[in-house]
């Protein structure tokens, strides 16, 4: 390094006097130094500007930072290569934020895929864009058989009316849980409780909604058994 501004000195954590004349191997590990060498060697060989690349540096205080750099070849008046010039940016905060976001997304993905309730996302045209594995277990359909399809394809006429009515309410922000019966792939009935929430873009336009779906089929079956037992009991009492 034989020329730099104050910002580079701050990024690397060295004084101007310390940074002057340093080689990149002095503030990078072996793996990063090889990557940087490869980029500079390509620039020197081809004469073309190098692609923007990320490199982790070791600051003077021992902390590590991530930089984003671009480099170009410097030639003398005769066109001979005599060095390189470039721009270095400190992108540590952005990279750390991206890593944290990715970890968070993975945690939420794991949570969604292992939750006992079903989770589905529908766009503004009533087409399903996402379902978790629990939905497939509940319905008997595969992800490919559900995603890209309208919910009405899995509902009888009576439940289609309920679905369409609730969609209008969700769009208007009137969100309430409601009961719905679906047609399973094996022909059996799937009774569920749906808890929806609308999705809006940054400009406030409606983009669809996601819904948590709870299987209450067993509960409905037990209620039906109790109802039949109660009716039978009433008949027996009347006959006595």
């Amino acid at each position: 390094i034989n020329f730099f501004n104050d910002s580079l000195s701050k990024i690397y954590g060295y004084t101007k006097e310390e940074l002057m004349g340093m080689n990149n191997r002095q503030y990078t590990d072996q793996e990063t130094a090889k990557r940087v060498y490869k980029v500079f060697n390509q620039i020197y060989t081809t004469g073309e500007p190098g692609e923007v690349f990320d490199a982790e540096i070791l600051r003077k205080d021992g902390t590590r930072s991530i930089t984003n750099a671009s480099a170009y070849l410097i030639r003398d008046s005769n066109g001979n290569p005599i060095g390189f010039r470039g721009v270095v940016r400190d992108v540590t905060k952005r990279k750390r934020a991206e890593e944290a976001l990715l970890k968070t997304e993975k945690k939420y993905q794991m949570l969604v895929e292992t939750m006992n309730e079903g989770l589905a996302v529908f766009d503004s045209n009533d087409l399903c864009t996402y379902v978790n594995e629990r939905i497939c277990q509940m319905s008997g359909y595969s992800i490919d058989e559900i995603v890209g399809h309208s919910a009405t394809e899995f509902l009888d006429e009576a439940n289609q009316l309920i679905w369409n009515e609730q969609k209008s309410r969700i769009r208007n922000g009137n969100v309430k849980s409601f009961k719905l019966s679906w047609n399973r792939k094996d022909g059996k009935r799937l009774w569920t409780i749906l808890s929806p929430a609308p999705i809006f873009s940054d400009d406030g336009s409606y983009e669809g909604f996601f819904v948590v779906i709870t299987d209450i089929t067993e509960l409905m079956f037990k209620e039906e058994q109790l109802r039949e037992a109660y009716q039978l009991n009433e008949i027996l009492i009347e006959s006595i």
Side-chain angles (χ1 to χ4, degrees), residues 17-220:
E17 291 74 20
E18 292 170 329
L19 195 57
M20 183 65 71
M22 287 185 68
N23 185 283
N24 71 82
R25 293 180 180 82
Q26 295 176 254
Y27 49 78
T28 58
D29 57 26
Q30 290 184 355
E31 183 179 348
T32 303
K34 288 180 181 179
R35 287 180 54 241
V36 173
Y37 171 79
K38 185 177 180 180
V39 173
F40 277 77
N41 187 58
Q42 183 178 5
I43 297 170
Y44 182 85
T45 304
T46 65
E48 298 294 327
E51 295 183 359
V52 177
F53 62 95
D54 292 340
E56 186 178 70
I57 63 168
L58 183 64
R59 290 166 49 85
K60 183 181 179 180
D61 60 9
T63 59
R64 293 184 178 273
S65 295
I66 302 174
T67 61
N68 180 270
S70 58
Y72 309 84
L73 192 64
I74 301 176
R75 298 179 184 273
D76 61 17
S77 57
N78 296 320
N80 299 313
I82 58 173
F84 304 90
R85 60 184 172 85
V87 177
V88 178
R89 301 176 181 87
D90 186 352
V91 294
T92 306
K93 291 183 179 179
R94 176 170 62 82
K95 285 293 184 179
R96 297 287 185 258
E98 289 175 354
E99 291 173 1
L101 180 60
L102 183 59
K103 289 180 180 179
T104 302
E105 288 177 346
K106 288 181 178 179
K107 288 180 181 178
Y108 277 113
Q109 183 68 24
M110 187 187 307
L111 174 63
V112 167
E113 292 300 333
T114 57
M115 63 190 295
N116 193 45
E117 284 76 23
L119 180 66
V121 180
F122 293 88
D123 63 18
S124 58
N125 296 316
D126 191 32
L127 297 179
C128 181
T129 60
Y130 172 82
V131 291
N132 66 352
E133 184 60 32
R134 180 62 179 141
I135 292 286
C136 299
Q137 295 171 0
M138 292 161 57
S139 67
Y141 291 96
S142 67
I143 292 178
D144 292 336
E145 291 175 312
I146 301 175
V147 172
H149 294 267
S150 169
T152 54
E153 297 179 37
F154 308 96
L155 301 170
D156 59 24
E157 188 173 346
N159 283 278
Q160 285 180 15
L161 294 174
I162 297 173
W163 175 261
N164 291 328
E165 180 184 356
Q166 292 297 330
K167 277 197 308 176
S168 298
R169 291 182 176 179
I170 296 169
R171 181 186 290 269
N172 295 326
N174 185 11
V175 179
K176 292 182 180 179
S177 297
F178 60 97
K179 187 188 297 183
L180 204 65
S181 175
W182 305 80
N183 300 323
R184 281 178 48 90
K185 189 174 183 179
D186 58 11
K188 297 180 181 179
R189 303 297 294 172
L190 171 66
W191 284 95
T192 61
I193 292 291
L194 281 69
S195 303
I199 301 173
F200 296 98
S201 63
D202 293 336
D203 62 6
S205 59
Y206 177 75
E207 293 188 336
F209 64 96
F210 71 87
V211 58
V212 176
I213 303 176
T214 304
D215 185 355
I216 60 167
T217 305
E218 185 177 350
L219 178 62
M220 293 294 292

